[in-house]
Amino acid sequence: MSNWRDNLRKIEPYVPGEQPDFPDMIKLNTNENPYPPSPKVREVMEHFDESKLRLYPDPASSRLVQAIADYNNVKNSQVFVGVGSDDVLAIAFMAFFNSKKPILFADITYSFYDVWAELFRIPYEKVPLNDKFEIVPSDYYRENGGVIIANPNAPTGIAQSINALEDIIQHNQDVVVIIDEAYVDFSSQTALNLIQKYDNVLIVQTYSKSRSLAGMRIGHAFGSEELISALNDVRYSFNSYPMTRLSVEIGAAVITDTDYFEQTKKKVIATREWVKRELIRLGFTFGDSMTNFIFATHDRVPAQVIFDKLREKHIFVRHFSAPRIDNYLRISIGTEEEMRRFLNEVAAIIEEYRG
């Protein structure tokens, strides 16, 4: 009798947001940017020599690395790129978390962290956020095999201060501390400068959110030359041609379009702040989101009810069934028109609810 099934890797996978396809839908469930990417994307594609696709890309993605380094005023040797920040983070888990001691991350945070830990057989402990969904730095003053913090956090949207992050780093200088800044462009401050002060800090960012390129899959990280070298060693041992020729060209071009970037970012932030006020008026409560989404709960209507009724109208938000957050909805910020329709439908749901 065959026993090959005994050797299968058994793991509970990460569940990505639903990708529905209805012509009239409003998609507010995966934190995508509601605006198209920079016009430079079209320029690149119009002039791209498709005949070069027969050749492997540059393993070092040098042109993209150079553009990111120049934009952020760091050395090329302090930049790492990958196929979205998920790829960058997975490589970082493999490169840095090899102790028998558990790595630490919040109990309510990006749900891929424990999946990677399970997949790579890394011991881990979840550190509870406080009642306001904030990190308590002193909870990280203990022996561990590494720390990862999403800042601003997902799905809560809460941003920790740079002082709070540095407090944690100062108490964990013998391990690598990763700051996952997927949403930082909608916030007020990046921790990027900390890589010049601490050689054990890795900052991870992405083009998916603020630069409207979720479909292109471009992520990057900043750290000391030693950390970046270690990431590249793992990368070349795993997949030596991660970035396509087209993604390199698009990524290098888009990061130079600061005017368009600032315009669309300001639109998202302005809509977010308006939606906050409207949600409060409708009876929702939430933390002060510094992202392109709001994590909210209603004082009377269960989140599952709102989620289901919105879905019937082809309005998609995200609902998590995890402890402590099962009565919350994560609502991505769409265009003003989309959010107005969303708010009108939510108001109607609340009005008709008789729970």
Side-chain angles (χ1 to χ4, degrees):
M1 182 175 177
S2 174
N3 294 318
W4 60 267
R5 292 180 181 84
D6 295 340
N7 297 318
L8 294 179
R9 180 67 61 90
K10 298 177 178 64
I11 189 168
E12 185 174 341
Y14 171 76
V15 180
E18 184 180 4
Q19 294 292 335
D21 186 17
F22 298 99
D24 63 336
M25 73 177 181
I26 295 179
K27 192 170 182 295
L28 309 175
N29 66 329
T30 50
N31 300 340
E32 293 145 328
N33 199 307
Y35 301 105
S38 162
K40 288 186 177 293
V41 172
R42 184 173 294 277
E43 292 178 20
V44 169
M45 296 181 73
E46 287 176 348
H47 296 93
F48 185 75
D49 183 359
E50 68 274 13
S51 70
K52 290 186 176 179
L53 292 178
R54 67 185 179 82
L55 304 172
Y56 284 109
D58 169 18
S61 305
S62 303
R63 178 164 158 71
L64 177 57
V65 167
Q66 180 72 62
I68 293 171
D70 290 346
Y71 179 81
N72 291 279
N73 196 29
V74 298
K75 299 176 183 176
N76 289 21
S77 55
Q78 293 178 294
V79 177
F80 177 82
V81 297
V83 188
S85 60
D86 287 342
D87 180 54
V88 173
L89 287 163
I91 295 294
F93 269 57
M94 286 191 280
F96 305 132
F97 297 156
N98 293 289
S99 167
K100 293 182 179 179
K101 301 172 185 176
I103 63 171
L104 305 179
F105 49 84
D107 64 331
I108 303 171
T109 191
Y110 187 30
S111 52
F112 229 139
Y113 297 160
D114 54 345
V115 173
W116 286 319
E118 294 283 354
L119 180 62
F120 303 138
R121 296 176 178 173
I122 301 167
Y124 65 94
E125 291 180 9
K126 296 182 178 182
V127 182
L129 299 175
N130 66 17
D131 291 341
K132 296 180 179 180
F133 292 153
E134 298 168 333
I135 285 175
V136 179
S138 59
D139 289 344
Y140 294 79
Y141 295 1
R142 54 191 168 105
E143 199 169 15
N144 61 74
V147 176
I148 180 163
I149 298 169
N151 194 59
N153 194 20
T156 65
I158 303 297
Q160 303 294 141
S161 69
I162 299 301
N163 287 340
L165 295 177
E166 188 164 13
D167 185 5
I168 293 171
I169 293 165
Q170 287 175 342
H171 287 84
N172 288 279
Q173 296 188 52
D174 291 331
V175 297
V176 172
V177 178
I178 300 175
I179 310 297
D180 181 357
E181 292 190 337
Y183 300 95
V184 74
D185 291 323
F186 303 107
S187 180
S188 58
Q189 195 174 14
T190 174
L192 180 57
N193 287 340
L194 295 180
I195 71 166
Q196 311 298 355
K197 191 173 180 180
Y198 301 95
D199 60 7
N200 65 319
V201 173
L202 190 78
I203 307 295
V204 179
Q205 297 180 0
T206 179
Y207 279 57
S208 295
K209 315 301 182 184
S210 59
R211 297 189 185 275
S212 306
L213 282 171
M216 197 75 244
R217 313 308 298 132
I218 302 173
H220 51 289
F222 306 95
S224 65
E225 294 183 6
E226 187 174 2
L227 288 186
I228 300 304
S229 177
L231 287 173
N232 279 317
D233 286 346
V234 174
R235 158 65 72 210
Y236 295 140
S237 303
F238 182 72
N239 178 5
S240 56
Y241 298 106
M243 308 300 292
T244 68
R245 286 177 172 268
L246 184 58
S247 62
V248 166
E249 293 301 314
I250 287 176
V254 164
I255 204 166
T256 65
D257 195 352
T258 54
D259 288 344
Y260 185 83
F261 170 67
E262 291 296 330
Q263 289 170 16
T264 54
K265 182 177 71 173
K266 287 177 181 178
K267 284 182 184 179
V268 171
I269 291 172
T271 305
R272 180 190 71 196
E273 295 306 305
W274 164 64
V275 173
K276 284 180 182 178
R277 295 190 293 271
E278 293 300 305
L279 287 175
I280 290 171
R281 183 179 63 80
L282 290 171
F284 285 88
T285 57
F286 45 85
D288 189 18
S289 174
M290 291 288 109
T291 61
N292 65 336
F293 60 85
I294 299 169
F295 193 60
T297 184
H298 194 263
D299 59 5
R300 186 167 56 87
V301 186
Q304 186 70 57
V305 170
I306 299 173
F307 173 84
D308 290 339
K309 289 188 173 295
L310 285 174
R311 198 173 189 282
E312 291 173 4
K313 300 288 186 177
H314 292 172
I315 299 175
F316 297 88
V317 295
R318 192 81 190 264
H319 178 246
F320 299 90
S321 59
R324 297 182 68 190
I325 61 172
D326 57 354
N327 200 34
Y328 282 79
L329 297 172
R330 194 192 68 190
I331 306 154
S332 302
I333 300 300
T335 63
E336 184 174 337
E337 180 183 357
E338 289 174 329
M339 301 313 293
R340 195 173 299 280
R341 181 181 155 197
F342 159 79
L343 289 166
N344 288 339
E345 293 292 351
V346 168
I349 292 167
I350 294 169
E351 180 65 25
E352 72 178 17
Y353 180 72
R354 295 291 184 268

